[in-house]
Amino acid sequence: MNLPETEKKRIIIIGGGFAGISLAKKLKNVSAQVVLIDKRNYHTFQPLLYQVSTSGLEPDSIAYPIRKVLRKLSDFHFRWAKVDRVDPARQEVHTDMGSVRYDYLVMATGTRTNFFGNTDIQEHAMPMKTVPQALNIRSLMLQNFEKADDSPKESERMALLNFCIVGAGPTGVELAGAFAELKRNVFPKDYQHLNIDEMEIHLFEGSDRVLAPMSPKASKRAQHFLERLGVKIHLNTIVKDYNGEVLTMDNGTTMYTKNFIWTAGVTGAMVAGFETDNFVEHLNRFKVNSFNQVAGYENIFAVGDIAYMETEAYPKGHPQVAQPAIQQGAHLARNFRHLMQGRPMIPFKYFDKGTMATVGRNKAVVDLKKFRFGGFVAWFIWMFIHLWFLVGFRNRVIVFFNWVYNYINYDKAARLIIRSYNPKA
Ligand SMILES: Cc1cc2nc3c(=O)[nH]c(=O)nc-3n(C[C@H](O)[C@H](O)[C@H](O)COP(=O)(O)OP(=O)(O)OC[C@H]3O[C@@H](n4cnc5c(N)ncnc54)[C@H](O)[C@@H]3O)c2cc1C
């Protein structure tokens, strides 16, 4: 990699997600050369991916160029590259566009979809972790509606219009709610000759409630909202297989579907070169101490979803959501300042601001430390918080405008097949 060699220490950050960006932004007062490497040249606001999948937002409004976010840093370099391997002994990072030496390395690679070793499901399911994957869901949904509109066979139409979502965490719940709203408000106007009752939305969950990471009250409320919207919820049900046409549950029941979306779990986006002592194998997350230092190294750190920090309050590590990632990134920047000045580092402490999920128009659930509530106020707060954390003023304006437009018109305007469904995306 062609980077200027200077007297300054070089900090390499791998990953421009919530953690990597939060860290890099705050490094502006640290005397070091900062290099951020990401396989995409944009930051993705993952909490709103489901709105891209369901035609509520254009992809450009939830993605933002990394170079633009960080252009105010003085000795900053972005490299658009995929990291293949790290060599801790030689302090080198190997990428598809060459190698580079580091003084300090920060792993902020986040997670990828976990298929739990089920190769059939991996081959045929649609995951939703990236913008291209969200566009895949949107395209396939619309392509299947187009096919159904022209199909004389009821069984074929039923499979084309059957939407099965596996995993009733916040992503699955939000997606199911958004599909239900399309069914209620949008598709009946677009496909006037289709019997819209043939569209079904099924949500599968292995545990005994939806939104398992939230309070039982929030779960109950979200389930009620979803059922009112017509979503069919299958609790205590493991989806064992999907071969591209038939979904099989652990109780042997089968179902035909051409829309199979997998939101059932994630695993760390690990990079080769580390020993099993450095990370928790079944989670693929780096074991880090309270300074986010990776076990076994003083100059390698991990932040965000890929970091596994056991604390008294979080004996199983922090939740893999945006807040711990943002806070760890900002905190590590502070510790870098201390390191460069020869001062001791400060342990990280997570401040839990609460959790929330939306189920659709006027419906959301919020869990704060002392209060738990749902309905319109929760939905309003959900919108405000998401706008606040969205990267870039332009994106905030566009998303706000879209939401107002969709709300007034009961519409989701981005119903476009820009490129056909591509399973390799
Ligand atoms: C669909 C969805 C909805 C979500 N909704 C919410 C929500 O409502 N609220 C909430 O708090 N959290 C939500 N989350 C979780 C939240 O998005 C994550 O916790 C957060 O993104 C973690 O930040 P991170 O920086 O650790 O990783 P990420 O944001 O995933 O960033 C990782 C970055 O690393 C890059 N990368 C990975 N591997 C390599 C490599 N080998 N080489 C180069 N670059 C690499 C990736 O391109 C990416 O840019 C959601 C996640 C998903 C997928």
Side-chain angles (χ1 to χ4, degrees), residues 15 17-19 38-40 46-47 83 109-110 128 171 304-305 320-322:
F18 283 102
D38 200 300
K39 59 186 172 186
R40 296 183 195 99
Q46 293 176 4
V83 173
T109 47
M128 196 182 67
T171 304
D305 278 2
Q320 287 169 293
V321 290

Side-chain angles (χ1 to χ4, degrees), residues 14-20 37-40 42 46-47 49 81-83 108-111 128-129 171 174 269 271 303-306 320-323 325 356 386:
I14 309 178
F18 283 102
I37 306 175
D38 200 300
K39 59 186 172 186
R40 296 183 195 99
Y42 56 87
Q46 293 176 4
L49 274 176
K82 181 175 178 294
V83 173
T109 47
T111 56
M128 196 182 67
K129 276 286 296 170
T171 304
E174 292 179 344
V271 168
V303 283
D305 278 2
I306 191 82
Q320 287 169 293
V321 290
Q323 271 306 316
M356 55 181 68
H386 281 72

Side-chain angles (χ1 to χ4, degrees), residues 132-359:
Q133 290 171 349
L135 281 175
N136 255 351
I137 297 176
R138 180 175 98 180
S139 293
L140 192 66
M141 165 182 80
L142 297 170
Q143 284 170 228
N144 283 345
F145 258 87
E146 293 303 327
K147 280 188 195 158
D149 199 26
D150 192 52
S151 168
K153 268 175 79 182
E154 189 188 346
S155 58
E156 187 180 61
R157 283 198 310 274
M158 296 290 278
L160 287 166
L161 301 182
N162 190 11
F163 288 77
C164 293
I165 303 157
V166 187
T171 304
V173 164
E174 292 179 344
L175 204 50
F179 280 132
E181 294 211 315
L182 280 167
K183 176 180 176 181
R184 182 177 276 199
N185 302 321
V186 180
F187 287 148
K189 292 181 225 153
D190 276 10
Y191 301 93
Q192 293 176 16
H193 305 292
L194 264 180
N195 173 8
I196 213 67
D197 289 338
E198 288 179 350
M199 177 181 182
E200 289 192 357
I201 302 139
H202 293 268
L203 181 61
F204 297 88
E205 169 60 40
S207 74
D208 60 356
R209 60 188 177 102
V210 303
L211 292 182
M214 293 186 73
S215 66
K217 201 169 167 185
S219 297
K220 217 167 150 193
R221 214 176 236 143
Q223 181 168 347
H224 173 68
F225 287 153
L226 285 169
E227 283 169 348
R228 258 183 33 204
L229 282 168
V231 175
K232 297 186 171 119
I233 300 173
H234 307 256
L235 297 175
N236 300 306
T237 306
I238 307 270
V239 172
K240 256 182 28 190
D241 194 29
Y242 177 64
N243 65 6
E245 294 208 339
V246 182
L247 170 160
T248 309
M249 299 170 225
D250 55 350
N251 59 13
T253 313
T254 57
M255 190 179 270
Y256 281 90
T257 178
K258 287 286 192 182
N259 310 280
F260 182 82
I261 301 156
W262 186 260
T263 66
V266 290
T267 182
M270 192 50 69
V271 168
F274 290 96
E275 304 290 330
T276 46
D277 289 353
N278 308 132
F279 57 94
V280 184
E281 251 184 301
H282 70 284
L283 300 173
N284 268 332
R285 291 174 87 181
F286 286 106
K287 292 179 201 164
V288 297
N289 62 14
S290 59
F291 309 119
N292 286 94
Q293 273 166 319
V294 171
Y297 301 106
E298 284 196 352
N299 63 343
I300 304 182
F301 298 80
V303 283
D305 278 2
I306 191 82
Y308 180 82
M309 186 190 292
E310 279 180 9
T311 65
E312 217 175 296
Y314 296 92
K316 290 185 179 164
H318 296 108
Q320 287 169 293
V321 290
Q323 271 306 316
I326 294 169
Q327 291 178 31
Q328 283 182 1
H331 186 82
L332 183 56
R334 195 173 165 206
N335 273 336
F336 269 125
R337 241 183 344 264
H338 282 222
L339 265 178
M340 303 296 168
Q341 294 163 354
R343 288 156 61 198
M345 291 191 286
I346 300 167
F348 172 74
K349 198 158 180 245
Y350 175 49
F351 175 62
D352 183 3
K353 296 183 177 168
T355 43
M356 55 181 68
T358 177
V359 188

